[in-house]
Amino acid sequence: MQIWPGRPYPLGATFDGAGTNFALFSEVADRVELCLFDDAGKETRIDLPEVDGFVHHVYLPAVQPGQRYGFRVHGPFDPPAGHRCQPEKLLLDPYAKAIEGQVDGDPSLFSYEFGKEGVLNTEDSAGHTMLSVVVNPYFDWGNDHRPRHEYHESVIYEAHVKGLTQLHPDIPEEIRGTYAAMAHPATIEHLHALGVTAVELMPVHQFVQDTHLVEKGLSNYWGYNTIGFFAPHNSYSANGQRGQQVQEFKSMVRALHEANIEVILDVVYNHTAEGNHMGPTLCFRGIDNQAYYRLVDSDKKHYFDTTGTGNSLLMRHPHVLQLIMDSLRYWVTDMHVDGFRFDLAATLARQFHEVDRLSAFFDLVQQDPIVSQVKLIAEPWDVGDGGYQVGGFPPLWTEWNGRYRDSIRDFWRGEPHSLGDFASRLSGSSDLYEHSGRKPIASINFITAHDGFTMRDLVSYNDKHNAANGEGGADGESHNRSWNCGAEGPTADEQINALRARQHRNLLVTLLLSQGVPMILHGDELGRSQQGNNNVYCQDNELAWVDWDLEDWQQELLEFSRRIVALRRQEPVFQRRRFFAGEAGHGGESEVGDIEWFQADGSRMTDRDWSDGSNRCVMVFLNGEAIPEPNRRGERIVGDSFLVLFNPYHEDVEFTLPGKEYGDEWTPRLDTADDQVGVVSVFTEESAFSPGVKLPVEARSVLVLARGPVGDK
């Protein structure tokens, strides 16, 4: 085999059409071996004698796509000093574009004998760990183009590649649970009919199955256990050929783009699957432990952990920052994804100890001409001190708004003193974002997400039921702000089931008509249940998968969901790009302001009313003639004006419509008290109401009225 010096950049394995360049960073290594594996598993080792800037590199003209490889790093094994090099452990390439296999839990994967810290394990891990794969970067993208939906026009759908598609009857069985299933017309048609503009895929970076879960007959279903930041997870590939997960992922993105749907990835750059000091040595730990991981300053044998997983990446090391930025750019430029949701993003801001919005990571993202132009969504917290940072991220970023989730849940379960905060969340959370110059689109509004109850379970359970996880109920959030409507779990009581369906509709309407960017959890539009389990991270089975065998009430809920998404997308007043001002004028022709809040009796809300803990009901006027921002062509936006009447109370409440200065006529557009898809019997499609009219709004329901006569709708 010919061996050429190669180049130190780009890092990883790069096929150029003739051969492959290999480059690996390690400041601590005395020597690095590239290990090539043939189809029979025979290993050939090649020294990487060339080193530039601590990057060890070589070029092999004979190596083609499909070649499996790994590294062995020779250097100090001195845990008290932070070093853990062990050439007996075969290591993944941190820049591997594809990865083959899974770890099998063999003792050879670990530096120590099981449970015996200090007793060194020198067994060779080859044959028990994963292998990196050289890939062909070429792909026919055709006429692929990014949808580039504006945030204010977006409806995000959080989905799991396998969970969404594994049980779909219209998808061929052999491709269910894969990238190919996500690209199947049945999946895309559902997303298109629902009206979503983006799918936010739960982790698709290569992740590791935790040994302790496998031993219990469980698995890492969610995938928040990354080991390969460039490689699509291999078990989501329908094509068993080596490295084909890359081509299949690209085909999925191309198909979703053709349907005008963006692809956002949930990425986990805060930690890796190697765990704490007793975890397996798979990649980073054996390459350069002290460079990649944050260690306890006074005890470098142990890891400084703000993620709850055993380790945290060292966000002030230049090669860690380079790794993350290279990964982000790769997924945008080579894989054509449209954005990222950053898991436990507060950890990425910990350049030192505290969360710092001016950290090096944010600086790099801000100045990057590629990464800065895609959607950037932070999960703005971690488990470390000061980690809850909702509202604290820089202007370029949007955030999962945990305050929104908690407030909406409290309002609809009837908590006192919840009305004021509810109004703030409904109108875009200006108290969280306006001070930093951000707009309502900074708030990613969600009521449910993968972590916690589904929306159906939120209205069906008071307590978590996580026995299937095998942790004695100790896992998962205990304070869920849920209400079971009178019975815990499934019931034959028709009144309770009807109330649950209504509460479900209330939550969906609130989510879709709030200012900001709504995010729907997959299956919530179908009434998906996890039987009260609020932490299905280890349940790769029917408990967590979407069941597409719909009962009548689920089909009705789906139709309702489509209708409310369509209402949002059709009406500019629900998609404002700027915060409400409240006063009249503001660039419009209306004599009233852009928003007004009323009590049920039609009088304006006062400060005293907002602070009254017994106040539950509210009516909000949204002025479609006072939208200050122009459209993309610079034209003034004028849409319908709306009154939205919220009654979370347990009894019917009579609302009085406001004076004629707000509108001469009001027409029902939506009522959650209806058990069907249309408008309830007391409000026919031909109904129209005048100012001052008293309307009965049923208990625990929302009534949406549009200004103007019926013929205009």
Side-chain angles (χ1 to χ4, degrees), residues 202-249:
M202 292 176 64
V204 295
H205 288 175
Q206 185 68 46
F207 59 86
V208 173
Q209 294 297 335
D210 308 69
T211 302
H212 74 279
L213 291 177
V214 174
E215 290 173 349
K216 293 194 294 184
L218 302 171
S219 65
N220 192 316
Y221 169 63
W222 283 351
Y224 292 93
N225 202 27
T226 305
I227 198 63
F229 295 116
F230 294 78
H233 188 61
N234 53 30
S235 72
Y236 294 158
S237 174
N239 190 321
Q241 296 183 27
R242 190 174 300 156
Q244 286 303 300
Q245 60 264 44
V246 178
Q247 303 295 313
E248 194 174 318
F249 183 94

Side-chain angles (χ1 to χ4, degrees), residues 397-425:
W397 292 70
T398 62
E399 302 174 11
W400 269 27
N401 190 345
R403 287 277 300 276
Y404 180 93
R405 171 199 59 205
D406 297 345
S407 178
I408 304 306
R409 290 186 179 195
D410 281 347
F411 178 79
W412 282 113
R413 70 189 181 115
E415 284 294 292
H417 299 283
S418 61
L419 185 58
D421 202 55
F422 170 81
S424 294
R425 304 307 140 228

Side-chain angles (χ1 to χ4, degrees), residues 89-126:
K89 311 306 176 186
L90 183 69
L91 305 175
L92 285 169
D93 179 358
Y95 279 72
K97 305 300 191 303
I99 292 174
E100 182 179 86
Q102 259 292 347
V103 298
D104 63 6
D106 189 79
S108 63
L109 297 166
F110 299 84
S111 296
Y112 302 109
E113 300 288 344
F114 277 145
K116 300 177 181 178
E117 184 176 356
V119 181
L120 200 62
N121 183 336
T122 58
E123 294 181 68
D124 195 319
S125 64

Side-chain angles (χ1 to χ4, degrees), residues 322-524:
Q322 180 186 7
L323 172 78
I324 296 174
M325 295 306 298
D326 285 350
S327 171
L328 292 171
R329 278 191 294 269
Y330 172 76
W331 287 96
V332 175
T333 58
D334 286 53
M335 308 296 261
H336 286 208
V337 304
D338 304 283
F340 305 95
R341 177 265 187 189
F342 293 79
D343 178 68
L344 299 182
T347 291
L348 303 179
R350 292 183 185 272
Q351 185 169 343
F352 296 100
H353 174 75
E354 68 284 347
V355 177
D356 183 2
R357 59 179 293 178
L358 300 178
S359 71
F361 172 69
F362 290 136
D363 291 343
L364 289 172
V365 170
Q366 179 71 41
Q367 61 79 42
D368 191 280
I370 295 172
V371 178
S372 66
Q373 298 307 302
V374 300
K375 289 182 168 64
L376 302 172
I377 304 170
E379 182 185 34
W381 51 76
D382 64 15
V383 301
D385 292 339
Y388 191 78
Q389 290 290 318
V390 173
F393 275 67
L396 189 66
W397 292 70
T398 62
E399 302 174 11
W400 269 27
N401 190 345
R403 287 277 300 276
Y404 180 93
R405 171 199 59 205
D406 297 345
S407 178
I408 304 306
R409 290 186 179 195
D410 281 347
F411 178 79
W412 282 113
R413 70 189 181 115
E415 284 294 292
H417 299 283
S418 61
L419 185 58
D421 202 55
F422 170 81
S424 294
R425 304 307 140 228
L426 187 77
S427 56
S429 296
S430 61
D431 57 325
L432 298 178
Y433 303 113
E434 193 170 23
H435 71 279
S436 59
R438 289 193 280 176
K439 308 253 175 65
I441 58 173
S443 177
I444 304 297
N445 297 331
F446 70 104
I447 298 172
T448 53
H450 66 272
D451 188 1
F453 281 145
T454 66
M455 197 168 283
R456 178 64 179 178
D457 288 353
L458 190 65
V459 299
S460 302
Y461 294 89
N462 284 350
D463 304 302
K464 63 184 179 182
H465 297 265
N466 296 1
N469 296 352
E471 299 182 39
D475 65 299
E477 176 61 55
S478 296
H479 183 46
N480 292 283
R481 290 182 161 90
S482 61
W483 178 48
N484 64 19
C485 297
E488 187 73 358
T491 178
D493 190 310
E494 294 183 3
Q495 287 187 321
I496 291 178
N497 285 329
L499 177 56
R500 287 175 176 173
R502 182 178 299 188
Q503 288 285 77
H504 198 143
R505 293 192 293 270
N506 290 335
L507 293 169
L508 283 171
V509 167
T510 305
L511 175 64
L512 270 302
L513 299 190
S514 295
Q515 302 300 323
V517 184
M519 186 186 78
I520 302 169
L521 170 63
H522 76 188
D524 275 353

Side-chain angles (χ1 to χ4, degrees), residues 2-244:
Q2 294 186 58
I3 300 174
W4 298 357
R7 295 181 300 275
Y9 190 84
L11 292 165
T14 305
F15 174 68
D16 61 7
T20 303
N21 190 82
F22 295 88
L24 178 75
F25 159 76
S26 178
E27 185 173 352
V28 73
D30 300 322
R31 173 185 166 211
V32 172
E33 292 179 298
L34 170 67
C35 307
L36 304 179
F37 291 82
D38 64 16
D39 291 342
K42 180 183 176 182
E43 179 181 353
T44 300
R45 301 185 186 184
I46 300 170
D47 274 320
L48 275 63
E50 299 291 332
V51 184
D52 293 285
F54 303 117
V55 176
H56 306 249
H57 53 91
V58 70
Y59 182 87
L60 303 179
V63 170
Q64 300 291 303
Q67 174 66 58
R68 300 180 299 168
Y69 70 99
F71 292 105
R72 296 184 186 274
V73 175
H74 299 256
F77 184 85
D78 184 3
H83 304 310
R84 293 179 177 269
C85 296
Q86 275 190 290
E88 302 90 358
K89 311 306 176 186
L90 183 69
L91 305 175
L92 285 169
D93 179 358
Y95 279 72
K97 305 300 191 303
I99 292 174
E100 182 179 86
Q102 259 292 347
V103 298
D104 63 6
D106 189 79
S108 63
L109 297 166
F110 299 84
S111 296
Y112 302 109
E113 300 288 344
F114 277 145
K116 300 177 181 178
E117 184 176 356
V119 181
L120 200 62
N121 183 336
T122 58
E123 294 181 68
D124 195 319
S125 64
H128 301 285
T129 191
M130 300 174 282
L131 295 175
S132 306
V133 180
V134 177
V135 302
N136 188 338
Y138 304 108
F139 179 78
D140 183 6
W141 283 102
N143 295 320
D144 181 68
H145 66 278
R146 304 182 190 281
R148 298 189 185 278
H149 294 295
E150 298 282 352
Y151 266 121
H152 70 285
E153 297 173 340
S154 297
V155 177
I156 298 174
Y157 188 83
E158 189 191 27
H160 188 284
V161 168
K162 186 173 184 179
L164 182 64
T165 63
Q166 183 66 26
L167 298 178
H168 202 300
D170 296 331
I171 297 176
E173 189 171 352
E174 63 271 18
I175 69 168
R176 292 177 188 172
T178 69
Y179 305 121
M182 283 295 302
H184 191 273
T187 305
I188 291 178
E189 171 56 28
H190 174 75
L191 297 171
H192 186 266
L194 182 57
V196 301
T197 65
V199 290
E200 182 178 300
L201 297 179
M202 292 176 64
V204 295
H205 288 175
Q206 185 68 46
F207 59 86
V208 173
Q209 294 297 335
D210 308 69
T211 302
H212 74 279
L213 291 177
V214 174
E215 290 173 349
K216 293 194 294 184
L218 302 171
S219 65
N220 192 316
Y221 169 63
W222 283 351
Y224 292 93
N225 202 27
T226 305
I227 198 63
F229 295 116
F230 294 78
H233 188 61
N234 53 30
S235 72
Y236 294 158
S237 174
N239 190 321
Q241 296 183 27
R242 190 174 300 156
Q244 286 303 300

